[in-house]
């Protein structure tokens, strides 16, 4: 990974004692090759002028980038050695991707990416990048922190309601010409009065708890860090020090933590068994936090009364993934963070961060996932 | 409609100057025939010990009623001259029904019901009763006011989110082995920042507004009565004096008014045309407030971007009802007020009101829909 620009290299040694990690602290000058990996819009691309998050919309920054003389490649073709992404890896300076259609930036790809400086996640969650390899290579990885937290929190509440209220069997009856109230009502509940625990209470978890407050539920949260007493009081949620002590109390469990080495497979067969029989689980965080088969088995046995989420261990999810056909699920493709409103926010965030990168300015501190060889605290 | 019991008749003339309207002000003494009309539980009846709202559950009051010597007939067979309900009309003293599987108590049936004293709605909304005929016959009509208002308000927020966030196409993709984020995202929005107007802000409307508050929306309400300024401020909703002035401002419209002569067909073709293009409408109030075909047409044209609700002009809804197959709907059978929690509350309420009726005690004032020949204000 040879340094290419003497000037920026000199700047870097001024700014950082450890030049190994400084490849991208500030952008080398010159024209860049930027690769964006997004989902395809196809026939939907032209239906909404604000639909900027698809390949065709290209975050609405093509004109701006090209006016600055940069090259901007956009594709959805991301898997395997013959993919469009793979072709551009060797000389890309910046790769932008999203959690919805993630460009998996593996250690192998990082090794090939001789020019790479910056990996931007349009959205939240950069686990599609091998963060250790990125750190070792001196790359910067950054997210548009906050761009879609509201979108995800709203969707979590939606899925909680869909499952607790047993909405989908009723919808199927409506569509299929049926009318069987008992088939819905015998397992439909109010949310009011139930105990809801969030596993992780960062930005999204807090927004969810705030939205749950008027529902008169019993709110619990488990996190590495306890909120300060004022915030805790305002939100009205009780801190739980031990995850395994919280789980059996919950009628509804919501996952709000990043995928890390510590959280991968956290909800395995044993941990699911600790949950109350009839629990509802909502996971819009990352699919791999769950043991896939353990969730499918618990839905089939009825121990888990409902599982909902928009994240899958690999995305796009294979056609035969068990979460597609297990009973009582409320699954969708990865969608909660890519509403039109979210797209407009993360597109604006990407533009701002590219602008900073080109000017050699720092990003807002909370946006860094890997900076100068260090992983952000939540990924350590 | 001869008076049967001299003692109670005497009591009535003491209590009310107008004996014409006093047939049921207080119950005549003696053993009663009580007819309950509920939906059938069938194979679901035994799956949940708290499933009291079905025919088999019979509100959990059979033992109590029979221990008092009353006769308790329960059925789901309610339509036509050969139905079980029809058979018991001539000598029933009390008919209990629900909005979910309504016993239509027409003027004709009231004429046949020589013993009838009391019509109880286990839930809210007594439009299945010909209220004018009931008033003229001196019957009491009462609801379990408040028993399922939270249940309905929660469900309204659920349907708002399902439609605004475009959940169902994503769910279908998950089930059908597909992955096409664009097909969902191009018309999925955050609820945050949108304008939501409730048409009617009684008990349910207020509960909905309270639950919407943390979503940072622009909240409007139209009602006959303005809330007092303190309540209005706490709820954070702006009063609109004119329905037709509010409608074009709304991204989401929620119906929260009873079905009366004034509200029947209120949302016809002309009124729907006044709504913003792309509006989402949620109606858990009563189906007949809408012009059925006008809603179906507006969903087909895209003027209405989504229509959701659990109420239909006639229930059970016919197999070929256009709301079952129009695009972008979130319809279910009538379910929102009959969660397990709601069933337990309205069952307890029915027991309390029967107990009062047997003892000749008055009901809580807000529970009366027809009392001494007068309709409650919302039905006038």
């Amino acid at each position: 990974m040879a340094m290419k620009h003497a000037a920026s290299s000199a700047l870097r040694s001024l700014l950082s004692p450890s030049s190994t990690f400084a490849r991208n602290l500030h952008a080398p000058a010159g024209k860049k090759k930027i690769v964006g990996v997004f989902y395809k819009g196809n026939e939907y691309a032209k239906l909404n002028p604000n639909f900027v998050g698809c390949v065709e919309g290209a975050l609405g920054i093509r004109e701006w980038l090209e006016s600055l003389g940069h090259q901007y490649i956009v594709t959805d073709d991301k898997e395997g050695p013959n993919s469009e992404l793979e072709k551009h890896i060797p000389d890309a300076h910046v790769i932008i991707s999203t959690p919805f259609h993630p460009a998996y930036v593996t250690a192998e790809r990082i090794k090939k990416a001789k020019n790479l400086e910056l990996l931007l996640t349009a959205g939240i969650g950069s686990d599609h990048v091998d963060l250790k390899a990125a750190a070792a290579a001196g790359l910067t990885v950054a997210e548009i922190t906050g761009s879609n937290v509201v979108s995800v929190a709203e969707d979590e509440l939606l899925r909680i309601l869909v499952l607790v209220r047993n909405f989908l069997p009723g919808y199927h009856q409506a569509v299929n010409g049926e009318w069987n109230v008992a088939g819905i009502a015998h397992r439909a509940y109010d949310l009011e009065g139930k105990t809801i625990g969030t596993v992780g209470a960062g930005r999204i978890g807090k927004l969810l708890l705030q939205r749950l407050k008027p529902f008169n539920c019993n709110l619990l949260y488990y996190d590495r860090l306890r909120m300060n007493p004022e915030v805790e009081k305002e939100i009205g949620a009780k801190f739980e020090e031990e995850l395994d002590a919280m789980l059996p109390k919950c009628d509804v469990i919501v996952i709000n933590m990043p995928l890390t080495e510590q959280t991968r497979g956290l909800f395995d067969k044993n941990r699911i068994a600790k949950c109350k029989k009839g629990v509802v689980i909502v996971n819009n965080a990352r699919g791999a936090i769950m043991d896939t088969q353990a969730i499918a088995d618990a839905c089939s046995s009825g121990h888990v009364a409902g599982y909902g989420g928009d994240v899958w261990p690999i995305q796009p999810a294979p056609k035969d993934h068990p979460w597609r056909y297990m009973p009582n699920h409320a699954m969708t493709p990865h969608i909660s963070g890519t509403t039109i409103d979210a797209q407009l926010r993360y597109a604006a965030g990407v533009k701002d961060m590219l602008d900073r990168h080109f000017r050699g300015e720092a990003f807002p501190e909370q946006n860094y996932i890997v900076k100068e060889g260090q992983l952000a605290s939540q990924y350590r």
Side-chain angles (χ1 to χ4, degrees), chain A:
Chain A
M1 299 196 185
M3 295 293 172
K4 301 260 161 81
H5 301 272
S8 62
S9 173
L11 178 66
R12 261 181 251 132
S13 30
L14 277 173
L15 287 168
S16 163
S18 156
S19 68
T20 318
F21 295 132
R23 183 159 63 148
N24 311 297
L25 178 61
H26 293 295
K31 303 310 176 189
K32 307 291 183 184
K33 178 167 185 172
I34 294 146
V35 179
V37 179
F38 310 117
Y39 52 82
K40 261 214 175 149
N42 291 324
E43 71 269 34
Y44 304 106
K46 292 202 173 160
L47 294 181
N48 188 336
N50 291 322
F51 187 22
V52 294
C54 59
V55 164
E56 296 85 340
L59 302 184
I61 55 174
R62 176 176 298 286
E63 210 173 314
W64 172 68
L65 283 174
E66 291 177 350
S67 77
L68 295 176
H70 303 301
Q71 189 186 359
Y72 186 32
I73 307 289
V74 176
T75 182
D76 75 322
D77 182 19
K78 65 190 181 74
E79 308 294 344
N82 300 317
S83 65
E84 186 74 5
L85 170 60
E86 196 76 27
K87 203 165 75 186
H88 296 288
I89 287 274
D91 62 346
H93 297 90
V94 179
I95 298 174
I96 310 168
S97 187
T98 73
F100 320 111
H101 187 77
Y104 294 106
V105 183
T106 57
E108 200 187 339
R109 280 178 165 171
I110 287 172
K111 207 182 275 178
K112 285 189 200 161
K114 303 294 183 198
N115 283 0
L116 199 58
E117 299 158 3
L118 175 64
L119 292 161
L120 281 179
T121 301
I124 303 172
S126 299
D127 48 274
H128 55 282
V129 176
D130 185 325
L131 296 175
K132 280 195 175 167
L139 300 178
T140 298
V141 182
E143 304 181 349
I144 320 303
T145 303
S147 61
N148 55 9
V149 286
V150 163
S151 314
V152 177
E154 286 187 1
D155 183 283
E156 288 176 347
L157 186 43
L158 156 63
R159 282 175 217 253
I160 293 171
L161 287 166
V162 162
L163 291 168
V164 170
R165 306 279 316 205
N166 205 23
F167 170 76
L168 287 164
Y171 172 73
H172 292 141
Q173 286 186 23
V175 171
N176 296 332
E178 298 162 14
W179 188 280
N180 181 349
V181 173
I184 314 160
H186 76 284
R187 61 193 308 273
Y189 291 88
D190 290 352
L191 191 52
E192 182 168 87
K194 306 304 179 290
T195 296
I196 305 177
T198 174
V199 185
R203 287 181 180 83
I204 297 172
K206 279 200 191 77
L207 289 166
L208 173 66
L209 289 169
Q210 284 165 347
R211 278 153 186 75
L212 281 168
K213 197 177 178 188
F215 280 85
N216 302 317
C217 295
N218 180 26
L219 302 179
L220 308 177
Y221 76 98
Y222 164 77
D223 203 292
R224 291 176 305 151
L225 299 171
R226 185 166 184 170
M227 299 176 197
N228 77 50
E230 267 177 48
V231 177
E232 205 177 79
K233 198 180 159 191
E234 192 218 310
I235 288 182
K238 193 174 153 292
F239 179 62
E240 292 278 336
E241 272 180 63
E242 296 291 336
L243 176 60
D244 289 341
M246 179 177 85
L247 296 180
K249 301 177 188 170
C250 295
D251 301 302
V252 179
I253 294 166
V254 189
I255 312 301
N256 278 306
M257 47 176 29
L259 175 63
T260 66
E261 281 172 32
Q262 285 74 45
T263 66
R264 184 177 296 273
L266 185 69
F267 280 75
D268 57 11
K269 194 178 163 184
N270 290 334
R271 187 155 274 107
I272 294 166
K274 289 175 184 168
C275 300
K276 199 186 271 193
K277 182 172 159 53
V279 69
V280 161
I281 299 177
V282 169
N283 174 20
N284 280 10
R286 285 297 179 264
I289 295 172
M290 303 287 146
D291 175 325
T292 293
Q293 195 55 48
I295 287 292
D297 291 345
C299 282
S300 296
S301 77
H303 186 76
V304 168
Y307 180 86
D310 68 341
V311 288
W312 307 68
I314 292 185
Q315 298 183 176
K319 279 188 197 306
D320 61 351
H321 194 283
W323 293 355
R324 291 185 184 270
Y325 52 82
M326 66 189 179
N328 301 314
H329 77 72
M331 297 300 301
T332 66
H334 197 169
I335 182 69
S336 66
T338 184
T339 57
I340 295 294
D341 306 84
Q343 292 172 45
L344 292 171
R345 284 191 299 262
Y346 65 64
V350 164
K351 187 179 178 192
D352 172 64
M353 284 167 76
L354 287 175
D355 188 43
R356 288 171 189 248
H357 184 68
F358 299 150
R359 292 171 191 274
E361 285 172 17
F363 299 154
E365 199 55 38
Q366 71 271 18
N367 290 15
Y368 285 106
I369 299 304
V370 174
K371 180 186 180 186
E372 299 174 41
Q374 290 291 319
L375 270 66
S377 64
Q378 69 268 32
Y379 283 100
R380 272 176 227 157

